[in-house]
Amino acid sequence: MKQIVITYGLIAGFIVTAFMAYVAYAIDKNPDFEGSMILGYTGMLVAFSFVFIGIRNYRDKHNNGVITFGKALKIGALISLIASTIYVGVWLFEYYCLYPDFMEKYSDAMLKKMNSTNITAAEIKVKTDEINRYKEMYKNPLWIIALTYVEVLVPIGILVPIISALILKKKQPATA
């Protein structure tokens, strides 16, 4: 099991990181880049498809075609954790070494975009305060780590292992 988890975790980590690196580069060069969120979550889905593949591989090749929901979920969660940890580590490197002004550029672009929409001054104030809170949080590396884990784990990294485990669970055939 360990080999499957490490192998597929590294593959998923490489893929999700490649997408993230491209999106960060694109936003750095063009802060108005519209497709960043879609491209980022597409990358996460592509990467976390290896959770499904890893669980299926373990079930079919190492466990005689049988796996419980719990075991499948454990394998999927570990693959997700490895991929997410790689994602967080690479983001920290990118943020501190390549794009230290990322939050400033990103928040400026968000504020500019907000001001060009038809929302009320009160809504703009609420959003501006929220953006400023995130900018403040990004001054602390622990918050960067926490927010980056949430970004990758909460929407995709937790859901994919659960769905994969539900789909791939297979009981031992009953013997007569």
Side-chain angles (χ1 to χ4, degrees):
M1 180 179 99
K2 185 191 282 188
Q3 187 65 35
I4 297 272
V5 166
I6 292 170
T7 300
Y8 288 98
L10 290 174
I11 292 169
F14 174 77
I15 292 169
V16 75
T17 298
F19 273 88
M20 181 256 301
Y22 174 74
V23 168
Y25 172 79
I27 289 173
D28 184 62
K29 295 302 174 203
N30 177 14
D32 297 328
F33 181 57
E34 285 293 322
S36 63
M37 190 175 293
I38 292 169
L39 188 58
Y41 283 108
T42 299
M44 288 179 197
L45 277 173
V46 170
F48 286 109
S49 69
F50 282 88
V51 167
F52 183 90
I53 295 167
I55 295 168
R56 190 185 69 207
N57 187 317
Y58 178 80
R59 181 194 71 187
D60 296 346
K61 294 183 180 173
H62 300 281
N63 213 36
N64 300 321
V66 176
I67 195 163
T68 64
F69 172 81
K71 185 75 163 183
L73 183 60
K74 179 180 177 183
I75 291 168
L78 289 171
I79 292 169
S80 284
L81 185 61
I82 289 171
S84 298
T85 301
I86 292 168
Y87 180 88
V88 170
V90 171
W91 174 244
L92 287 171
F93 172 80
E94 282 187 15
Y95 181 71
Y96 284 111
C97 297
L98 303 175
Y99 311 116
D101 59 345
F102 178 85
M103 257 331 253
E104 201 60 46
K105 284 182 177 180
Y106 182 73
S107 61
D108 288 347
M110 294 299 292
L111 293 171
K112 188 172 132 185
K113 186 185 289 187
M114 237 185 340
N115 288 326
S116 68
T117 61
N118 295 331
I119 61 176
T120 68
E123 291 171 317
I124 290 174
K125 168 101 174 81
V126 168
K127 284 289 190 188
T128 302
D129 290 345
E130 182 182 341
I131 289 168
N132 287 334
R133 272 195 310 276
Y134 278 110
K135 280 173 56 177
E136 194 61 35
M137 291 167 83
Y138 247 70
K139 292 177 181 176
N140 181 337
L142 294 176
W143 274 113
I144 296 172
I145 292 168
L147 291 170
T148 308
Y149 266 116
V150 166
E151 176 184 319
V152 70
L153 275 175
V154 172
I156 310 282
I158 292 173
L159 196 57
V160 170
I162 291 170
I163 292 170
S164 297
L166 284 168
I167 292 170
L168 293 169
K169 69 180 177 174
K170 199 181 230 184
K171 292 182 180 179
Q172 185 78 30
T175 56

